[in-house]
Amino acid sequence: RLLQKANIDIKLNGSLTRYNKEDLPKLQSIAKELNIPIEIDGGVSAANSKALAEAGAEILGAGSAVFKAEDPAAVIQQMKA
């Protein structure tokens, strides 16, 4: 079985480093046009994970939100809800 990974950096809102809710329409448009899993990494939290998933993100990278939390397992459960 062959696993392929394509990294595509798309500059949203002038920045590649943080998610911004104003980027959701762009994310929705990209998700509709591309037939690949979309990952968002940077600024992902329990507060915005649902909106990102609904906009088309299939993979969420939430390192700081999880590893800096007092209860990482609780944050992960919130993101899965």
Side-chain angles (χ1 to χ4, degrees):
R1 197 163 125 175
L2 178 64
L3 175 65
Q4 281 188 310
K5 180 178 178 184
N7 289 327
I8 302 172
D9 287 333
I10 299 172
K11 197 170 191 176
L12 301 174
N13 230 10
S15 173
L16 286 171
T17 59
R18 305 284 300 162
Y19 154 79
N20 185 317
K21 69 179 180 179
E22 295 166 2
D23 295 331
L24 286 177
K26 290 179 184 178
L27 174 58
Q28 289 170 327
S29 176
I30 292 165
K32 287 179 185 176
E33 291 181 33
L34 299 177
N35 189 23
I36 60 172
I38 295 175
E39 176 182 4
I40 302 295
D41 190 348
V44 176
S45 68
N48 62 25
S49 60
K50 183 176 181 179
L52 289 166
E54 289 173 350
E58 295 181 38
I59 304 163
L60 301 176
S64 294
V66 172
F67 293 110
K68 291 183 178 181
E70 286 187 34
D71 188 352
V75 172
I76 292 170
Q77 288 306 311
Q78 290 172 345
M79 290 183 180
K80 289 181 174 183

